[in-house]
Amino acid sequence: QAPVVESGGGLVQAGGSLKLSCVVSEFNMDYYAVGWFRQAPGKWREGVSCISMDGNTYYADSVKGRFTISRDNVKNTVYLQMNSLKPEDTAVYYCATVGTGYTGAHYCSILRDDDNRNWGQGTQVTVSS
């Protein structure tokens, strides 16, 4: 799995927006599905969104209609646009490559988590009420 670096987190009021970035340190990101995950204090890490190498997108029910994932293969970057943020979106957000080819597409579609991925340091998102 390719190393990643997340950025773009911050403090925002409820209803506000943030855009997270995930730079994938891989010569050719084209073949990777890339996902965003988050972990709130005292909770397990959960899948938020994923984009396959073909550009298919998947979202957790809790963020559908509010978050949008996209990718720029030229910049080796995956973005997560977060709108209408809620206090329950507060968490450390992580990105990770979730696989290549058909395996990556499948893992992406189910927002599969895996401790053995090459996780970045995460970026903190705090939404105040």
Coordinates of all heavy atoms in Angstrom, one line a residue, residues 2-92:
A2 N 0.4 2.3 -0.7 CA 1.2 3.5 -0.9 C 1.1 4.4 0.3 O 0.0 4.5 0.9 CB 0.8 4.2 -2.1
P3 N 2.2 5.1 0.7 CA 2.1 6.1 1.8 C 1.2 7.2 1.4 O 1.1 7.6 0.2 CB 3.5 6.5 2.0 CG 4.4 5.5 1.3 CD 3.6 4.9 0.2
V4 N 0.5 7.8 2.4 CA -0.4 8.9 2.1 C -0.1 10.0 3.1 O 0.4 9.8 4.2 CB -1.8 8.5 2.2 CG1 -2.2 7.5 1.1 CG2 -2.2 8.0 3.6
V5 N -0.5 11.3 2.8 CA -0.4 12.4 3.7 C -1.7 13.2 3.5 O -2.1 13.6 2.4 CB 0.7 13.4 3.3 CG1 0.7 14.6 4.2 CG2 2.1 12.6 3.4
E6 N -2.4 13.3 4.7 CA -3.7 14.0 4.7 C -3.5 15.5 5.2 O -2.6 15.7 6.0 CB -4.7 13.3 5.7 CG -4.9 11.9 5.4 CD -4.0 11.0 6.3 OE1 -3.0 11.5 6.8 OE2 -4.4 9.8 6.6
S7 N -4.4 16.3 4.7 CA -4.4 17.7 5.2 C -5.8 18.3 5.0 O -6.6 17.7 4.3 CB -3.3 18.5 4.4 OG -3.6 18.6 3.0
G8 N -6.0 19.5 5.5 CA -7.2 20.3 5.3 C -8.2 20.3 6.4 O -9.2 21.0 6.3
G9 N -7.9 19.6 7.5 CA -8.8 19.6 8.6 C -8.8 21.0 9.3 O -8.0 21.9 9.0
G10 N -9.7 21.1 10.3 CA -9.7 22.4 11.1 C -11.0 22.4 11.9 O -11.7 21.4 12.1
L11 N -11.2 23.6 12.5 CA -12.4 23.9 13.3 C -13.4 24.7 12.5 O -13.0 25.7 11.9 CB -11.9 24.7 14.5 CG -13.1 25.2 15.5 CD1 -13.8 24.0 16.1 CD2 -12.5 26.1 16.6
V12 N -14.6 24.2 12.5 CA -15.7 24.8 11.7 C -17.0 24.7 12.5 O -17.2 23.8 13.3 CB -15.8 24.2 10.3 CG1 -16.2 22.7 10.4 CG2 -16.7 25.0 9.4
Q13 N -17.8 25.7 12.3 CA -19.2 25.7 12.9 C -20.1 24.7 12.2 O -19.9 24.5 11.0 CB -19.8 27.1 12.9 CG -19.1 28.0 13.9 CD -19.9 29.3 14.1 OE1 -20.5 29.8 13.1 NE2 -19.7 29.9 15.2
A14 N -21.1 24.2 12.9 CA -22.1 23.4 12.2 C -22.7 24.1 11.0 O -23.0 25.3 11.1 CB -23.1 23.0 13.3
G15 N -22.8 23.3 10.0 CA -23.3 23.9 8.7 C -22.2 24.3 7.8 O -22.5 24.7 6.6
G16 N -21.0 24.4 8.3 CA -19.9 24.9 7.5 C -19.3 23.8 6.6 O -19.9 22.7 6.5
S17 N -18.2 24.1 5.9 CA -17.6 23.2 5.0 C -16.1 23.1 5.2 O -15.5 24.1 5.6 CB -17.9 23.7 3.5 OG -19.3 23.7 3.2
L18 N -15.5 22.0 4.8 CA -14.1 21.8 4.7 C -13.8 20.9 3.6 O -14.6 20.1 3.1 CB -13.6 21.2 6.0 CG -13.4 22.0 7.3 CD1 -13.1 21.1 8.5 CD2 -12.4 23.1 7.1
K19 N -12.6 21.1 3.0 CA -12.1 20.2 2.0 C -10.8 19.5 2.4 O -9.8 20.2 2.6 CB -11.9 21.0 0.7 CG -11.6 20.1 -0.5 CD -11.6 20.9 -1.8 CE -11.4 20.0 -3.1 NZ -11.4 20.8 -4.3
L20 N -10.8 18.2 2.5 CA -9.6 17.5 2.8 C -8.9 17.0 1.6 O -9.5 16.8 0.6 CB -10.0 16.3 3.7 CG -10.9 16.5 4.9 CD1 -11.1 15.2 5.7 CD2 -10.3 17.6 5.8
S21 N -7.6 16.9 1.7 CA -6.7 16.4 0.6 C -5.9 15.2 1.1 O -5.5 15.2 2.3 CB -5.8 17.5 0.1 OG -6.5 18.6 -0.4
C22 N -5.7 14.3 0.2 CA -4.9 13.1 0.5 C -3.9 13.0 -0.7 O -4.4 12.6 -1.8 CB -5.8 11.9 0.6 SG -4.9 10.3 0.6
V23 N -2.7 13.2 -0.4 CA -1.6 13.0 -1.4 C -1.1 11.6 -1.3 O -0.6 11.2 -0.2 CB -0.5 14.0 -1.3 CG1 0.6 13.8 -2.3 CG2 -1.1 15.4 -1.4
V24 N -1.1 10.9 -2.4 CA -0.7 9.5 -2.4 C 0.7 9.4 -3.0 O 1.0 9.9 -4.1 CB -1.6 8.6 -3.3 CG1 -1.1 7.2 -3.3 CG2 -3.0 8.7 -2.7
S25 N 1.7 8.9 -2.2 CA 3.1 8.9 -2.6 C 3.4 7.7 -3.4 O 4.0 6.7 -3.0 CB 4.0 9.0 -1.4 OG 3.8 10.1 -0.6
E26 N 2.8 7.7 -4.6 CA 3.0 6.6 -5.5 C 3.1 7.1 -6.9 O 2.4 8.0 -7.3 CB 1.7 5.7 -5.4 CG 1.7 4.5 -6.4 CD 2.8 3.5 -6.2 OE1 3.2 3.3 -5.0 OE2 3.2 2.9 -7.2
F27 N 4.1 6.5 -7.6 CA 4.3 7.1 -9.0 C 3.1 7.1 -9.8 O 2.9 8.1 -10.5 CB 5.4 6.2 -9.7 CG 5.7 6.6 -11.1 CD1 6.4 7.8 -11.3 CD2 5.2 5.9 -12.1 CE1 6.7 8.2 -12.6 CE2 5.5 6.3 -13.4 CZ 6.2 7.4 -13.7
N28 N 2.3 6.1 -9.7 CA 1.0 6.1 -10.5 C -0.1 5.7 -9.7 O -0.3 4.5 -9.3 CB 1.2 5.1 -11.7 CG 0.1 5.3 -12.7 OD1 -0.9 5.8 -12.4 ND2 0.3 4.8 -13.9
M29 N -0.9 6.7 -9.3 CA -2.1 6.4 -8.4 C -3.2 5.9 -9.2 O -4.2 5.4 -8.6 CB -2.5 7.8 -7.7 CG -3.5 7.6 -6.6 SD -4.1 9.2 -6.0 CE -5.2 9.8 -7.3
D30 N -3.1 5.9 -10.5 CA -4.3 5.6 -11.3 C -4.9 4.2 -11.0 O -6.1 4.1 -11.1 CB -3.9 5.5 -12.8 CG -3.4 6.8 -13.3 OD1 -2.9 7.6 -12.5 OD2 -3.5 7.1 -14.5
Y31 N -4.1 3.3 -10.5 CA -4.6 1.9 -10.4 C -5.2 1.6 -8.9 O -5.6 0.5 -8.7 CB -3.5 0.9 -10.7 CG -3.0 1.0 -12.1 CD1 -1.8 1.6 -12.4 CD2 -3.8 0.7 -13.2 CE1 -1.4 1.8 -13.7 CE2 -3.4 0.8 -14.5 CZ -2.2 1.4 -14.7 OH -1.7 1.5 -16.0
Y32 N -5.1 2.7 -8.1 CA -5.5 2.5 -6.7 C -6.9 3.0 -6.5 O -7.3 4.1 -6.9 CB -4.6 3.2 -5.8 CG -3.2 2.5 -5.6 CD1 -2.2 2.8 -6.4 CD2 -3.1 1.6 -4.6 CE1 -0.9 2.2 -6.2 CE2 -1.8 1.0 -4.4 CZ -0.8 1.3 -5.2 OH 0.4 0.7 -5.0
A33 N -7.7 2.2 -5.7 CA -8.9 2.8 -5.0 C -8.4 3.5 -3.8 O -7.5 3.0 -3.1 CB -9.9 1.7 -4.7
V34 N -9.0 4.6 -3.4 CA -8.5 5.4 -2.3 C -9.8 5.7 -1.4 O -10.8 6.2 -1.9 CB -7.8 6.6 -2.7 CG1 -7.3 7.4 -1.4 CG2 -6.6 6.3 -3.6
G35 N -9.6 5.5 -0.1 CA -10.8 5.8 0.8 C -10.4 6.7 1.9 O -9.3 6.9 2.2
W36 N -11.5 7.3 2.4 CA -11.4 8.2 3.6 C -12.1 7.4 4.7 O -13.2 6.9 4.6 CB -12.1 9.5 3.3 CG -11.3 10.5 2.5 CD1 -11.4 10.7 1.2 CD2 -10.3 11.3 3.0 NE1 -10.5 11.7 0.8 CE2 -9.8 12.1 2.0 CE3 -9.7 11.5 4.3 CZ2 -8.7 13.0 2.1 CZ3 -8.7 12.5 4.4 CH2 -8.2 13.2 3.3
F37 N -11.5 7.5 5.9 CA -12.0 6.9 7.1 C -11.9 7.9 8.2 O -11.2 8.9 8.1 CB -11.2 5.6 7.4 CG -11.2 4.6 6.3 CD1 -10.4 4.7 5.2 CD2 -12.0 3.5 6.4 CE1 -10.4 3.8 4.2 CE2 -12.1 2.5 5.4 CZ -11.3 2.7 4.3
R38 N -12.7 7.7 9.3 CA -12.6 8.6 10.4 C -12.7 7.8 11.7 O -13.3 6.8 11.8 CB -13.6 9.7 10.3 CG -15.1 9.2 10.5 CD -16.0 10.3 10.2 NE -17.4 9.9 10.3 CZ -18.5 10.7 10.1 NH1 -18.3 11.9 9.6 NH2 -19.7 10.2 10.2
Q39 N -12.1 8.4 12.7 CA -12.2 7.9 14.1 C -12.5 9.0 15.1 O -11.7 9.9 15.2 CB -11.0 7.1 14.5 CG -11.1 6.4 15.8 CD -9.9 5.4 16.0 OE1 -8.9 5.5 15.4 NE2 -10.2 4.4 16.8
A40 N -13.7 8.9 15.7 CA -14.1 9.8 16.7 C -13.6 9.3 18.1 O -13.4 8.1 18.2 CB -15.6 10.0 16.7
P41 N -13.4 10.2 19.1 CA -13.0 9.7 20.4 C -13.9 8.6 21.0 O -15.1 8.8 21.0 CB -13.1 11.0 21.2 CG -12.9 12.1 20.3 CD -13.6 11.6 19.0
G42 N -13.2 7.6 21.4 CA -14.0 6.5 22.0 C -14.8 5.6 21.1 O -15.5 4.7 21.5
K43 N -14.5 5.8 19.8 CA -15.3 5.0 18.8 C -14.3 4.3 17.9 O -13.1 4.6 17.7 CB -16.2 5.9 18.0 CG -17.3 6.5 18.8 CD -18.3 7.2 17.9 CE -19.5 7.7 18.6 NZ -20.5 8.4 17.7
W44 N -14.8 3.2 17.2 CA -14.0 2.5 16.2 C -13.8 3.4 15.0 O -14.7 4.2 14.7 CB -14.7 1.2 15.8 CG -14.8 0.2 16.9 CD1 -15.9 -0.1 17.7 CD2 -13.7 -0.6 17.5 NE1 -15.6 -1.1 18.6 CE2 -14.2 -1.4 18.5 CE3 -12.3 -0.7 17.2 CZ2 -13.5 -2.3 19.2 CZ3 -11.6 -1.6 17.9 CH2 -12.1 -2.4 18.9
R45 N -12.8 3.1 14.2 CA -12.6 3.8 12.9 C -13.7 3.3 12.0 O -14.1 2.1 12.0 CB -11.3 3.5 12.4 CG -10.9 4.2 11.1 CD -9.4 4.0 10.7 NE -9.2 2.6 10.6 CZ -8.0 2.0 11.0 NH1 -7.1 2.7 11.5 NH2 -7.8 0.7 10.8
E46 N -14.3 4.2 11.2 CA -15.3 3.8 10.2 C -15.0 4.4 8.8 O -14.4 5.4 8.7 CB -16.7 4.4 10.7 CG -16.7 5.9 10.8 CD -18.1 6.4 11.1 OE1 -19.1 5.6 11.1 OE2 -18.3 7.6 11.4
G47 N -15.5 3.7 7.9 CA -15.4 4.1 6.5 C -16.3 5.3 6.2 O -17.5 5.3 6.6
V48 N -15.8 6.3 5.5 CA -16.6 7.5 5.2 C -17.0 7.5 3.7 O -18.1 7.7 3.3 CB -15.9 8.7 5.5 CG1 -16.6 10.0 5.1 CG2 -15.6 8.8 7.0
S49 N -15.9 7.3 2.9 CA -16.1 7.4 1.4 C -14.9 6.7 0.7 O -13.9 6.6 1.3 CB -16.2 8.9 1.0 OG -16.5 9.0 -0.4
C50 N -15.2 6.4 -0.5 CA -14.1 5.7 -1.3 C -14.3 6.0 -2.8 O -15.5 6.1 -3.2 CB -14.1 4.2 -1.0 SG -12.6 3.4 -1.7
I51 N -13.2 6.1 -3.5 CA -13.3 6.3 -5.0 C -12.4 5.2 -5.6 O -11.3 5.0 -5.3 CB -12.9 7.7 -5.4 CG1 -13.2 7.9 -6.9 CG2 -11.5 8.1 -4.9 CD1 -13.1 9.4 -7.3
S52 N -13.0 4.5 -6.5 CA -12.3 3.4 -7.2 C -11.4 4.0 -8.3 O -11.5 5.2 -8.6 CB -13.3 2.4 -7.8 OG -13.9 3.0 -9.0
M53 N -10.6 3.1 -8.9 CA -9.7 3.6 -9.9 C -10.5 4.1 -11.2 O -10.0 4.9 -11.9 CB -8.7 2.5 -10.3 CG -9.2 1.3 -11.0 SD -7.9 0.2 -11.5 CE -8.8 -0.9 -12.5
D54 N -11.7 3.6 -11.3 CA -12.5 4.0 -12.4 C -13.4 5.2 -12.1 O -14.1 5.6 -13.0 CB -13.5 2.8 -12.8 CG -12.7 1.6 -13.2 OD1 -11.7 1.8 -13.9 OD2 -13.2 0.5 -12.9
G55 N -13.3 5.7 -10.9 CA -14.0 6.9 -10.6 C -15.4 6.6 -9.9 O -16.1 7.6 -9.7
N56 N -15.7 5.4 -9.6 CA -16.9 5.1 -8.9 C -16.8 5.5 -7.5 O -15.7 5.3 -6.9 CB -17.2 3.6 -9.0 CG -17.5 3.1 -10.4 OD1 -18.2 3.8 -11.2 ND2 -17.0 2.0 -10.8
T57 N -17.8 6.1 -7.0 CA -17.8 6.7 -5.6 C -18.8 6.0 -4.7 O -19.8 5.5 -5.1 CB -18.1 8.2 -5.6 OG1 -19.3 8.4 -6.2 CG2 -17.0 8.9 -6.4
Y58 N -18.4 5.9 -3.4 CA -19.2 5.2 -2.4 C -19.1 6.0 -1.1 O -18.1 6.7 -0.8 CB -18.6 3.8 -2.1 CG -18.5 3.0 -3.4 CD1 -17.3 3.0 -4.1 CD2 -19.6 2.2 -3.9 CE1 -17.2 2.2 -5.3 CE2 -19.5 1.5 -5.0 CZ -18.3 1.5 -5.7 OH -18.2 0.8 -6.9
Y59 N -20.3 6.0 -0.4 CA -20.4 6.9 0.8 C -21.1 6.1 1.9 O -22.0 5.3 1.6 CB -21.2 8.1 0.5 CG -20.6 9.0 -0.6 CD1 -20.9 8.9 -1.9 CD2 -19.6 10.0 -0.2 CE1 -20.4 9.7 -2.9 CE2 -19.0 10.8 -1.2 CZ -19.4 10.6 -2.5 OH -18.8 11.4 -3.5
A60 N -20.7 6.4 3.1 CA -21.4 5.9 4.3 C -22.8 6.6 4.3 O -22.9 7.8 3.8 CB -20.7 6.2 5.5
D61 N -23.8 6.0 4.8 CA -25.1 6.6 4.8 C -25.1 7.9 5.6 O -25.9 8.8 5.2 CB -26.1 5.6 5.5 CG -26.5 4.4 4.6 OD1 -26.2 4.5 3.4 OD2 -27.0 3.4 5.1
S62 N -24.3 8.0 6.6 CA -24.3 9.2 7.4 C -23.8 10.4 6.7 O -24.0 11.5 7.2 CB -23.4 8.9 8.7 OG -22.1 8.6 8.3
V63 N -23.1 10.3 5.6 CA -22.5 11.4 4.9 C -23.1 11.6 3.5 O -22.8 12.6 2.8 CB -21.0 11.4 4.8 CG1 -20.4 11.2 6.2 CG2 -20.5 10.3 3.9
K64 N -23.9 10.7 3.0 CA -24.5 10.8 1.7 C -25.2 12.1 1.5 O -26.0 12.6 2.4 CB -25.4 9.7 1.4 CG -24.7 8.4 1.0 CD -25.8 7.3 0.7 CE -25.1 6.0 0.4 NZ -26.0 4.8 0.2
G65 N -25.0 12.8 0.4 CA -25.6 14.0 0.1 C -24.9 15.2 0.7 O -25.2 16.4 0.3
R66 N -23.9 15.0 1.6 CA -23.2 16.1 2.2 C -21.7 16.1 1.8 O -21.1 17.2 1.7 CB -23.3 16.0 3.7 CG -24.7 16.1 4.2 CD -24.7 16.2 5.7 NE -24.2 15.1 6.4 CZ -23.1 15.1 7.3 NH1 -22.6 16.3 7.5 NH2 -22.7 14.0 7.8
F67 N -21.1 14.9 1.6 CA -19.7 14.8 1.3 C -19.6 14.4 -0.2 O -20.4 13.6 -0.7 CB -19.1 13.7 2.2 CG -18.9 14.1 3.6 CD1 -19.5 15.2 4.2 CD2 -18.1 13.3 4.4 CE1 -19.4 15.6 5.5 CE2 -18.0 13.6 5.8 CZ -18.6 14.7 6.3
T68 N -18.5 14.8 -0.8 CA -18.2 14.4 -2.2 C -16.7 14.1 -2.3 O -15.9 14.9 -1.9 CB -18.5 15.6 -3.2 OG1 -19.9 15.9 -3.0 CG2 -18.2 15.1 -4.6
I69 N -16.4 12.9 -2.8 CA -15.1 12.5 -3.0 C -14.7 12.6 -4.5 O -15.5 12.4 -5.3 CB -14.9 11.0 -2.5 CG1 -13.4 10.6 -2.4 CG2 -15.6 10.0 -3.4 CD1 -13.1 9.3 -1.8
S70 N -13.5 13.0 -4.7 CA -13.0 13.1 -6.1 C -11.5 12.8 -6.1 O -10.8 12.8 -5.1 CB -13.3 14.5 -6.6 OG -12.6 15.5 -5.8
R71 N -11.0 12.7 -7.3 CA -9.6 12.3 -7.5 C -9.0 13.1 -8.6 O -9.6 13.3 -9.6 CB -9.3 10.8 -7.6 CG -9.9 10.2 -8.8 CD -9.9 8.7 -8.7 NE -8.5 8.2 -8.7 CZ -8.1 7.0 -8.2 NH1 -9.0 6.2 -7.7 NH2 -6.8 6.6 -8.3
D72 N -7.7 13.4 -8.5 CA -6.9 14.1 -9.6 C -5.7 13.2 -9.7 O -4.7 13.4 -8.9 CB -6.6 15.5 -9.2 CG -5.9 16.2 -10.3 OD1 -5.2 15.6 -11.2 OD2 -5.9 17.5 -10.3
N73 N -5.7 12.3 -10.7 CA -4.5 11.4 -10.9 C -3.3 12.1 -11.3 O -2.2 11.6 -11.0 CB -4.9 10.3 -11.9 CG -5.9 9.4 -11.3 OD1 -6.1 9.3 -10.1 ND2 -6.6 8.6 -12.2
V74 N -3.4 13.3 -11.9 CA -2.2 14.0 -12.3 C -1.5 14.5 -11.1 O -0.2 14.5 -11.0 CB -2.6 15.2 -13.2 CG1 -1.4 16.1 -13.5 CG2 -3.2 14.7 -14.5
K75 N -2.3 15.0 -10.1 CA -1.7 15.5 -8.8 C -1.5 14.4 -7.8 O -1.1 14.7 -6.6 CB -2.5 16.6 -8.3 CG -2.6 17.8 -9.2 CD -3.4 18.9 -8.6 CE -3.4 20.2 -9.5 NZ -4.2 21.3 -8.9
N76 N -1.9 13.2 -8.1 CA -1.8 12.1 -7.1 C -2.6 12.4 -5.8 O -2.1 12.1 -4.7 CB -0.4 11.7 -6.8 CG 0.2 10.6 -7.7 OD1 -0.3 10.4 -8.8 ND2 1.2 9.9 -7.3
T77 N -3.7 13.0 -6.0 CA -4.5 13.6 -4.8 C -5.9 13.1 -4.9 O -6.5 13.2 -6.0 CB -4.4 15.1 -4.8 OG1 -3.0 15.5 -4.7 CG2 -5.1 15.6 -3.5
V78 N -6.4 12.8 -3.7 CA -7.9 12.5 -3.6 C -8.4 13.5 -2.6 O -7.8 13.8 -1.6 CB -8.1 11.1 -3.0 CG1 -9.6 10.9 -2.7 CG2 -7.7 10.1 -4.1
Y79 N -9.6 14.1 -2.9 CA -10.2 15.1 -2.1 C -11.5 14.6 -1.5 O -12.2 13.7 -2.0 CB -10.5 16.3 -3.0 CG -9.4 16.9 -3.7 CD1 -9.1 16.6 -5.0 CD2 -8.5 17.8 -3.1 CE1 -8.0 17.1 -5.7 CE2 -7.4 18.3 -3.8 CZ -7.2 18.0 -5.1 OH -6.1 18.5 -5.7
L80 N -11.8 15.2 -0.3 CA -13.1 15.0 0.3 C -13.7 16.3 0.6 O -13.3 17.0 1.6 CB -13.0 14.1 1.5 CG -14.3 13.7 2.2 CD1 -15.1 12.7 1.3 CD2 -14.1 13.1 3.6
Q81 N -14.7 16.7 -0.2 CA -15.4 18.0 0.1 C -16.5 17.7 1.1 O -17.4 16.8 0.8 CB -16.0 18.5 -1.2 CG -16.8 19.8 -1.0 CD -16.0 21.0 -0.6 OE1 -15.0 21.3 -1.1 NE2 -16.5 21.7 0.5
M82 N -16.5 18.4 2.2 CA -17.5 18.1 3.3 C -18.3 19.3 3.5 O -17.8 20.4 3.9 CB -16.8 17.7 4.6 CG -15.8 16.6 4.4 SD -15.1 16.0 6.0 CE -14.2 17.4 6.4
N83 N -19.6 19.2 3.2 CA -20.5 20.3 3.4 C -21.6 20.0 4.4 O -21.7 18.8 4.8 CB -21.3 20.6 2.0 CG -20.3 21.0 0.9 OD1 -19.3 21.7 1.2 ND2 -20.7 20.7 -0.3
S84 N -22.3 21.0 4.9 CA -23.3 20.8 5.9 C -22.8 20.0 7.1 O -23.4 19.1 7.5 CB -24.5 20.2 5.3 OG -25.0 20.9 4.2
L85 N -21.6 20.4 7.6 CA -21.0 19.6 8.6 C -21.8 19.6 9.9 O -22.4 20.6 10.2 CB -19.6 20.1 8.9 CG -18.6 19.6 7.8 CD1 -17.3 20.5 7.8 CD2 -18.2 18.2 8.1
K86 N -21.8 18.5 10.6 CA -22.5 18.4 11.9 C -21.5 18.1 13.0 O -20.4 17.5 12.7 CB -23.5 17.2 11.8 CG -24.4 17.3 10.6 CD -25.3 16.0 10.5 CE -26.3 16.1 9.4 NZ -27.1 14.9 9.3
P87 N -21.9 18.3 14.2 CA -20.9 18.0 15.3 C -20.5 16.5 15.4 O -19.4 16.2 15.7 CB -21.8 18.4 16.6 CG -22.7 19.5 16.1 CD -23.0 19.1 14.7
E88 N -21.4 15.7 14.9 CA -21.1 14.2 14.9 C -20.1 13.9 13.8 O -19.6 12.7 13.8 CB -22.4 13.4 14.8 CG -23.3 13.8 13.6 CD -24.4 14.7 14.1 OE1 -24.1 15.6 14.9 OE2 -25.6 14.5 13.6
D89 N -19.7 14.8 13.0 CA -18.6 14.6 12.0 C -17.3 14.8 12.6 O -16.2 14.5 12.0 CB -18.8 15.5 10.8 CG -20.1 15.2 10.0 OD1 -20.4 14.0 9.8 OD2 -20.7 16.2 9.6
T90 N -17.2 15.3 13.8 CA -16.0 15.5 14.5 C -15.2 14.2 14.7 O -15.7 13.2 15.2 CB -16.2 16.2 15.9 OG1 -16.8 17.5 15.7 CG2 -14.9 16.3 16.7
A91 N -14.0 14.2 14.2 CA -13.1 13.0 14.2 C -11.8 13.3 13.6 O -11.6 14.4 13.0 CB -13.8 11.9 13.4
V92 N -10.9 12.4 13.7 CA -9.6 12.4 13.0 C -9.9 11.7 11.7 O -10.4 10.5 11.7 CB -8.5 11.8 13.7 CG1 -7.2 11.8 12.8 CG2 -8.2 12.5 15.0

